[in-house]
Coordinates of all heavy atoms in Angstrom, one line a residue:
M697 N 14.9 -1.2 2.0 CA 14.6 0.0 1.2 C 13.5 -0.4 0.2 O 13.8 -1.2 -0.7 CB 15.8 0.6 0.6 CG 15.6 1.9 -0.3 SD 15.1 3.3 0.7 CE 16.7 4.0 1.0
A698 N 12.4 0.2 0.2 CA 11.3 -0.2 -0.8 C 11.6 0.4 -2.1 O 12.0 1.6 -2.2 CB 10.0 0.2 -0.2
K699 N 11.4 -0.3 -3.1 CA 11.4 0.2 -4.5 C 10.1 0.9 -4.8 O 9.1 0.7 -4.2 CB 11.7 -0.9 -5.5 CG 13.0 -1.7 -5.3 CD 13.3 -2.6 -6.5 CE 12.3 -3.7 -6.6 NZ 12.4 -4.8 -5.7
A700 N 10.2 1.8 -5.8 CA 9.0 2.5 -6.2 C 7.9 1.6 -6.6 O 6.7 1.8 -6.3 CB 9.3 3.4 -7.4
S701 N 8.2 0.5 -7.3 CA 7.2 -0.5 -7.7 C 6.5 -1.2 -6.5 O 5.3 -1.4 -6.5 CB 7.8 -1.6 -8.6 OG 8.9 -2.2 -7.9
D702 N 7.3 -1.4 -5.4 CA 6.7 -1.9 -4.2 C 5.8 -1.0 -3.6 O 4.7 -1.4 -3.1 CB 7.8 -2.3 -3.2 CG 8.7 -3.4 -3.6 OD1 8.3 -4.2 -4.5 OD2 9.9 -3.5 -3.2
R703 N 6.2 0.3 -3.5 CA 5.3 1.3 -2.9 C 3.9 1.3 -3.7 O 2.9 1.4 -3.1 CB 5.9 2.7 -3.0 CG 6.9 2.9 -1.8 CD 7.1 4.3 -1.5 NE 7.5 5.1 -2.6 CZ 8.8 5.2 -3.0 NH1 9.7 4.6 -2.3 NH2 9.1 5.9 -4.0
Q704 N 4.0 1.2 -5.0 CA 2.8 1.2 -5.8 C 1.9 0.0 -5.4 O 0.7 0.2 -5.2 CB 3.2 1.2 -7.3 CG 2.0 1.1 -8.2 CD 1.2 2.5 -8.2 OE1 1.8 3.5 -7.9 NE2 0.0 2.4 -8.6
A705 N 2.5 -1.1 -5.3 CA 1.8 -2.3 -5.0 C 1.2 -2.3 -3.6 O 0.1 -2.8 -3.4 CB 2.7 -3.6 -5.2
L706 N 1.9 -1.7 -2.7 CA 1.5 -1.7 -1.3 C 0.7 -0.4 -0.9 O 0.5 -0.2 0.3 CB 2.7 -1.9 -0.4 CG 3.4 -3.3 -0.6 CD1 4.7 -3.3 0.2 CD2 2.5 -4.4 -0.3
R707 N 0.5 0.4 -1.9 CA -0.2 1.7 -1.5 C -1.4 1.5 -0.8 O -2.3 0.7 -1.1 CB -0.5 2.5 -2.8 CG -1.1 3.8 -2.6 CD -1.0 4.7 -3.8 NE -1.9 4.3 -5.0 CZ -3.1 4.7 -5.1 NH1 -3.7 5.5 -4.2 NH2 -3.8 4.3 -6.1
T708 N -1.6 2.2 0.3 CA -2.8 2.0 1.1 C -3.6 3.3 1.2 O -4.8 3.3 1.5 CB -2.5 1.6 2.6 OG1 -1.5 2.5 3.1 CG2 -1.9 0.1 2.6
E709 N -2.9 4.4 0.9 CA -3.7 5.7 1.0 C -4.6 5.9 -0.2 O -4.2 5.4 -1.3 CB -2.8 6.9 1.2 CG -2.1 7.5 0.0 CD -0.8 6.8 -0.4 OE1 -0.6 5.6 0.0 OE2 -0.1 7.4 -1.1
E710 N -5.7 6.5 -0.1 CA -6.6 6.8 -1.2 C -6.4 8.2 -1.7 O -6.2 9.1 -1.0 CB -8.0 6.6 -0.7 CG -8.3 5.2 -0.3 CD -9.7 5.0 0.3 OE1 -10.5 5.8 0.1 OE2 -9.9 3.9 0.9
Y711 N -6.4 8.3 -3.0 CA -6.4 9.6 -3.6 C -7.8 10.2 -3.7 O -8.7 9.5 -3.3 CB -5.9 9.4 -5.1 CG -4.4 8.9 -5.2 CD1 -4.0 8.5 -6.4 CD2 -3.6 9.0 -4.1 CE1 -2.7 8.0 -6.5 CE2 -2.3 8.5 -4.2 CZ -1.8 8.0 -5.4 OH -0.6 7.6 -5.6
A712 N -7.9 11.4 -4.1 CA -9.2 12.1 -4.1 C -10.1 11.4 -5.0 O -11.3 11.3 -4.7 CB -9.0 13.6 -4.6
C713 N -9.6 10.8 -6.1 CA -10.5 10.1 -7.0 C -11.1 8.9 -6.3 O -12.3 8.6 -6.5 CB -9.7 9.7 -8.3 SG -8.2 8.8 -8.0
C714 N -10.3 8.2 -5.5 CA -10.8 7.0 -4.8 C -11.8 7.4 -3.7 O -12.8 6.7 -3.5 CB -9.6 6.3 -4.1 SG -8.2 6.0 -5.2
T715 N -11.6 8.5 -3.1 CA -12.5 9.0 -2.0 C -13.9 9.3 -2.6 O -14.9 9.0 -2.0 CB -11.9 10.3 -1.4 OG1 -10.7 9.9 -0.8 CG2 -12.8 10.7 -0.3
R716 N -13.9 9.8 -3.9 CA -15.2 10.0 -4.5 C -15.9 8.7 -4.8 O -17.1 8.6 -4.6 CB -15.0 10.8 -5.8 CG -14.7 12.3 -5.6 CD -14.9 13.1 -6.9 NE -14.0 12.7 -7.9 CZ -12.8 13.2 -8.0 NH1 -12.3 14.1 -7.2 NH2 -12.0 12.8 -9.0
V717 N -15.1 7.7 -5.2 CA -15.7 6.4 -5.5 C -16.2 5.8 -4.2 O -17.3 5.3 -4.2 CB -14.6 5.4 -6.1 CG1 -15.1 4.0 -6.3 CG2 -14.2 6.0 -7.5
R718 N -15.4 5.9 -3.1 CA -15.9 5.3 -1.9 C -17.1 6.0 -1.4 O -18.1 5.4 -0.9 CB -14.7 5.5 -0.8 CG -15.1 4.9 0.5 CD -14.0 5.0 1.5 NE -12.8 4.2 1.2 CZ -12.7 2.9 1.5 NH1 -13.7 2.3 2.2 NH2 -11.7 2.1 1.2
A719 N -17.2 7.4 -1.5 CA -18.4 8.1 -1.1 C -19.6 7.6 -1.8 O -20.7 7.5 -1.2 CB -18.1 9.6 -1.4
R720 N -19.5 7.4 -3.1 CA -20.6 6.9 -3.9 C -21.0 5.5 -3.4 O -22.2 5.2 -3.4 CB -20.2 6.9 -5.4 CG -21.3 7.2 -6.3 CD -20.8 7.6 -7.7 NE -19.8 6.6 -8.2 CZ -18.8 6.8 -8.9 NH1 -18.5 8.1 -9.2 NH2 -18.0 5.9 -9.4
E721 N -20.0 4.7 -3.2 CA -20.3 3.3 -2.7 C -21.1 3.4 -1.3 O -22.0 2.6 -1.1 CB -19.0 2.5 -2.5 CG -18.5 2.0 -3.8 CD -19.4 1.0 -4.5 OE1 -20.0 0.2 -3.8 OE2 -19.6 1.2 -5.7
M722 N -20.6 4.2 -0.4 CA -21.2 4.3 0.9 C -22.6 4.8 0.8 O -23.5 4.3 1.5 CB -20.4 5.2 1.8 CG -19.1 4.7 2.2 SD -19.2 3.2 3.2 CE -17.5 2.8 3.6
E723 N -22.9 5.7 -0.1 CA -24.2 6.2 -0.3 C -25.1 5.1 -0.8 O -26.2 4.9 -0.4 CB -24.1 7.3 -1.4 CG -25.1 8.4 -1.3 CD -24.8 9.5 -2.3 OE1 -24.0 10.4 -2.0 OE2 -25.4 9.5 -3.4
S724 N -24.6 4.4 -1.8 CA -25.4 3.3 -2.4 C -25.6 2.2 -1.4 O -26.7 1.6 -1.3 CB -24.6 2.8 -3.6 OG -24.8 1.4 -3.8
I725 N -24.7 1.9 -0.5 CA -24.8 0.8 0.5 C -25.9 1.3 1.5 O -26.8 0.5 1.9 CB -23.5 0.5 1.1 CG1 -22.6 -0.2 0.2 CG2 -23.7 -0.3 2.4 CD1 -21.1 -0.4 0.6
A726 N -25.8 2.5 1.9 CA -26.8 3.0 2.9 C -28.2 3.0 2.3 O -29.2 2.8 3.1 CB -26.4 4.4 3.3
R727 N -28.3 3.2 1.0 CA -29.6 3.3 0.4 C -30.2 2.0 0.0 O -31.4 1.7 0.1 CB -29.5 4.3 -0.8 CG -30.8 4.7 -1.4 CD -30.5 5.6 -2.6 NE -29.6 4.9 -3.5 CZ -28.6 5.5 -4.2 NH1 -28.3 6.7 -4.0 NH2 -27.8 4.8 -5.0
D728 N -29.3 1.2 -0.6 CA -29.8 0.0 -1.4 C -29.6 -1.3 -0.7 O -30.3 -2.3 -1.0 CB -29.1 -0.1 -2.7 CG -29.4 1.2 -3.6 OD1 -30.4 1.8 -3.4 OD2 -28.5 1.5 -4.4
Y729 N -28.7 -1.5 0.2 CA -28.4 -2.8 0.7 C -29.3 -3.1 1.9 O -29.6 -2.3 2.8 CB -26.9 -2.9 1.2 CG -26.0 -3.1 0.0 CD1 -25.8 -2.2 -1.0 CD2 -25.3 -4.3 -0.1 CE1 -25.0 -2.4 -2.1 CE2 -24.4 -4.5 -1.2 CZ -24.3 -3.6 -2.2 OH -23.5 -3.8 -3.2
L730 N -29.7 -4.4 1.9 CA -30.7 -4.8 2.9 C -30.0 -5.7 4.0 O -30.5 -5.8 5.1 CB -31.8 -5.6 2.3 CG -32.7 -4.8 1.3 CD1 -33.7 -5.7 0.7 CD2 -33.3 -3.6 2.0
S731 N -28.9 -6.3 3.6 CA -28.2 -7.2 4.6 C -26.8 -6.7 4.8 O -26.1 -6.3 3.9 CB -28.3 -8.6 4.2 OG -27.6 -8.8 3.0
F732 N -26.3 -6.8 6.0 CA -25.0 -6.5 6.4 C -24.3 -7.7 7.1 O -25.0 -8.5 7.6 CB -25.0 -5.2 7.3 CG -25.4 -4.0 6.5 CD1 -26.7 -3.7 6.3 CD2 -24.4 -3.1 6.1 CE1 -27.1 -2.6 5.6 CE2 -24.8 -2.0 5.3 CZ -26.1 -1.7 5.1
P733 N -23.0 -7.7 7.1 CA -22.0 -6.8 6.5 C -22.0 -6.8 5.0 O -22.3 -7.8 4.4 CB -20.7 -7.3 7.1 CG -20.9 -8.7 7.3 CD -22.4 -8.9 7.7
V734 N -21.5 -5.7 4.4 CA -21.2 -5.6 3.0 C -19.6 -5.6 2.9 O -19.0 -4.7 3.3 CB -21.8 -4.4 2.4 CG1 -21.4 -4.3 0.9 CG2 -23.3 -4.4 2.5
I735 N -19.1 -6.7 2.3 CA -17.6 -6.8 2.1 C -17.4 -6.9 0.6 O -17.8 -7.9 0.0 CB -17.1 -8.0 2.9 CG1 -17.6 -8.1 4.3 CG2 -15.6 -8.1 2.7 CD1 -17.0 -7.1 5.2
K736 N -16.7 -5.9 0.1 CA -16.4 -6.1 -1.4 C -15.2 -5.2 -1.7 O -14.8 -4.4 -0.9 CB -17.6 -5.7 -2.2 CG -18.2 -4.3 -2.0 CD -19.3 -4.1 -3.0 CE -19.9 -2.7 -2.9 NZ -20.9 -2.5 -4.0
K737 N -14.8 -5.4 -2.9 CA -13.7 -4.6 -3.4 C -14.2 -3.8 -4.7 O -14.9 -4.4 -5.5 CB -12.5 -5.5 -3.8 CG -11.8 -6.0 -2.6 CD -10.6 -6.8 -3.0 CE -9.7 -7.2 -1.9 NZ -10.2 -7.3 -0.5
V738 N -13.8 -2.5 -4.7 CA -14.2 -1.7 -5.9 C -13.0 -1.1 -6.5 O -12.1 -0.6 -5.8 CB -15.2 -0.6 -5.4 CG1 -15.6 0.3 -6.5 CG2 -16.4 -1.2 -4.7
V739 N -12.9 -1.2 -7.8 CA -11.7 -0.7 -8.4 C -12.0 0.8 -8.8 O -13.0 1.1 -9.5 CB -11.3 -1.5 -9.7 CG1 -10.1 -0.9 -10.4 CG2 -11.0 -2.9 -9.3
C740 N -11.1 1.7 -8.4 CA -11.2 3.1 -8.8 C -11.0 3.2 -10.3 O -10.0 2.8 -10.8 CB -10.2 3.9 -8.1 SG -10.3 5.7 -8.6
P741 N -12.0 3.7 -11.1 CA -11.8 3.8 -12.5 C -10.7 4.8 -13.0 O -10.2 4.7 -14.1 CB -13.2 4.2 -13.0 CG -13.9 4.9 -11.9 CD -13.3 4.2 -10.6
T742 N -10.4 5.7 -12.1 CA -9.4 6.7 -12.4 C -7.9 6.2 -12.3 O -7.1 6.3 -13.2 CB -9.6 8.0 -11.6 OG1 -10.9 8.3 -11.7 CG2 -8.7 9.1 -12.0
C743 N -7.6 5.6 -11.1 CA -6.2 5.2 -10.8 C -6.1 3.7 -10.7 O -5.0 3.2 -10.4 CB -5.7 5.9 -9.6 SG -6.5 5.4 -8.1
K744 N -7.2 3.0 -10.8 CA -7.1 1.5 -10.7 C -6.8 0.9 -9.3 O -6.5 -0.2 -9.2 CB -6.1 0.9 -11.7 CG -6.3 1.4 -13.1 CD -7.7 1.1 -13.7 CE -7.9 1.6 -15.1 NZ -9.3 1.8 -15.5
F745 N -6.8 1.8 -8.3 CA -6.6 1.3 -7.0 C -7.8 0.5 -6.5 O -8.9 0.8 -6.8 CB -6.4 2.5 -6.0 CG -6.1 2.1 -4.6 CD1 -4.9 1.5 -4.2 CD2 -7.0 2.5 -3.6 CE1 -4.7 1.2 -2.9 CE2 -6.8 2.1 -2.3 CZ -5.6 1.5 -1.9
V746 N -7.5 -0.6 -5.9 CA -8.6 -1.5 -5.4 C -9.0 -1.0 -4.0 O -8.2 -1.1 -3.0 CB -8.2 -3.0 -5.3 CG1 -9.3 -3.8 -4.8 CG2 -7.8 -3.4 -6.8
L747 N -10.2 -0.6 -3.9 CA -10.7 -0.1 -2.6 C -11.4 -1.2 -1.8 O -12.4 -1.7 -2.3 CB -11.7 1.1 -2.8 CG -11.2 2.3 -3.5 CD1 -12.4 3.1 -4.1 CD2 -10.6 3.2 -2.5
P748 N -10.9 -1.6 -0.7 CA -11.6 -2.5 0.1 C -12.8 -1.8 0.8 O -12.6 -0.9 1.5 CB -10.6 -3.1 1.1 CG -9.5 -2.0 1.1 CD -9.7 -1.1 0.0
I749 N -14.0 -2.3 0.6 CA -15.2 -1.8 1.2 C -15.7 -2.8 2.3 O -16.1 -3.9 1.9 CB -16.3 -1.5 0.2 CG1 -15.8 -0.7 -1.0 CG2 -17.5 -0.9 0.8 CD1 -15.9 0.8 -0.8
N750 N -15.6 -2.4 3.5 CA -16.0 -3.3 4.6 C -17.0 -2.5 5.5 O -16.6 -1.6 6.2 CB -14.9 -3.7 5.5 CG -13.8 -4.4 4.7 OD1 -14.1 -5.2 3.8 ND2 -12.5 -4.2 5.0
V751 N -18.3 -2.7 5.3 CA -19.3 -2.0 6.1 C -20.1 -3.0 6.9 O -20.7 -3.9 6.3 CB -20.2 -1.2 5.1 CG1 -21.2 -0.4 5.9 CG2 -19.4 -0.3 4.2
Y752 N -20.1 -2.8 8.2 CA -20.8 -3.8 9.0 C -22.2 -3.5 9.4 O -23.0 -4.3 9.8 CB -19.9 -4.0 10.3 CG -18.5 -4.6 9.9 CD1 -17.4 -3.8 9.7 CD2 -18.4 -6.0 9.6 CE1 -16.2 -4.3 9.3 CE2 -17.2 -6.5 9.2 CZ -16.1 -5.7 9.0 OH -14.9 -6.2 8.6
T753 N -22.5 -2.2 9.3 CA -23.9 -1.8 9.6 C -24.3 -0.6 8.7 O -23.5 0.1 8.2 CB -24.0 -1.2 11.1 OG1 -23.3 -0.1 11.2 CG2 -23.6 -2.3 12.1
R754 N -25.6 -0.5 8.5 CA -26.1 0.6 7.7 C -25.7 2.0 8.3 O -25.4 2.9 7.6 CB -27.6 0.6 7.6 CG -28.3 1.7 6.7 CD -29.8 1.6 6.7 NE -30.2 0.2 6.3 CZ -30.2 -0.2 5.0 NH1 -29.9 0.6 4.1 NH2 -30.6 -1.4 4.7
E755 N -25.7 2.1 9.6 CA -25.3 3.3 10.3 C -23.9 3.7 10.0 O -23.6 4.9 9.8 CB -25.5 3.1 11.8 CG -26.9 3.1 12.4 CD -27.6 1.8 12.0 OE1 -26.9 0.7 11.9 OE2 -28.8 1.8 11.7
E756 N -23.1 2.7 9.8 CA -21.7 3.0 9.5 C -21.6 3.6 8.1 O -20.8 4.5 7.9 CB -20.9 1.6 9.5 CG -19.4 1.8 9.5 CD -18.7 0.4 9.5 OE1 -19.3 -0.5 10.2 OE2 -17.7 0.3 8.9
A757 N -22.4 3.1 7.2 CA -22.4 3.6 5.8 C -22.9 5.1 5.8 O -22.4 5.9 5.1 CB -23.2 2.7 4.9
Q758 N -24.0 5.3 6.6 CA -24.6 6.6 6.7 C -23.7 7.6 7.3 O -23.7 8.8 7.0 CB -25.9 6.5 7.4 CG -27.0 5.9 6.6 CD -28.2 5.5 7.5 OE1 -28.1 5.4 8.7 NE2 -29.4 5.4 6.8
A759 N -22.9 7.2 8.3 CA -22.1 8.1 9.1 C -20.7 8.4 8.4 O -20.0 9.2 8.8 CB -21.8 7.5 10.5
W760 N -20.4 7.6 7.3 CA -19.1 7.7 6.7 C -18.9 9.1 6.1 O -19.8 9.7 5.5 CB -18.9 6.7 5.6 CG -17.5 6.7 5.0 CD1 -16.4 6.1 5.5 CD2 -17.1 7.5 3.9 NE1 -15.4 6.4 4.7 CE2 -15.8 7.3 3.7 CE3 -17.8 8.3 3.0 CZ2 -15.0 7.8 2.7 CZ3 -17.1 8.9 2.0 CH2 -15.7 8.7 1.8
Q761 N -17.8 9.7 6.4 CA -17.4 11.0 5.9 C -16.0 10.9 5.3 O -15.1 10.2 5.9 CB -17.3 12.1 7.0 CG -18.7 12.4 7.7 CD -19.6 13.1 6.7 OE1 -19.2 13.9 5.9 NE2 -20.9 12.8 6.8
P762 N -15.7 11.6 4.2 CA -14.4 11.6 3.7 C -13.4 12.2 4.7 O -13.8 13.2 5.3 CB -14.5 12.4 2.4 CG -15.8 13.0 2.3 CD -16.7 12.3 3.4
S763 N -12.3 11.6 4.9 CA -11.4 12.2 5.9 C -10.3 13.1 5.2 O -10.1 13.0 4.0 CB -10.6 11.1 6.6 OG -10.1 10.1 5.7
Ligands
ZN2215 ZN1 -8.4 6.6 -7.5

């Protein structure tokens, strides 16, 4: 049985605030990055969730849509 604190630590779903951060990252990667893959982590300023950003091609960044 997971404790609430464990769920927080292991949270994998993104909130709406994180989706906005990811959308901005994807836009910036599609526009500004010259070499791929782009592997980085971005902290959501709203909820402090660490978003893993793994983009292997520019097309992938351009095609990304919030789910
Ligand atoms: Zn967030």
Side-chain angles (χ1 to χ4, degrees):
M697 181 68 91
K699 297 192 295 287
S701 57
D702 292 337
R703 279 205 302 276
Q704 179 69 22
L706 299 172
R707 178 162 74 87
T708 54
E709 84 273 24
E710 294 176 15
Y711 296 163
C713 53
C714 310
T715 301
R716 282 195 299 275
V717 172
R718 182 180 289 278
R720 215 162 51 216
E721 280 300 315
M722 288 299 184
E723 210 174 277
S724 145
I725 288 167
R727 191 183 53 222
D728 302 330
Y729 279 66
L730 297 176
S731 66
F732 288 83
V734 177
I735 309 290
K736 60 177 179 172
K737 288 182 169 23
V738 177
V739 178
C740 175
T742 308
C743 70
K744 309 301 181 202
F745 182 66
V746 178
L747 295 158
I749 307 273
N750 302 321
V751 183
Y752 296 96
T753 63
R754 182 182 306 280
E755 289 69 34
E756 193 182 326
Q758 285 167 338
W760 184 86
Q761 294 291 325
S763 50

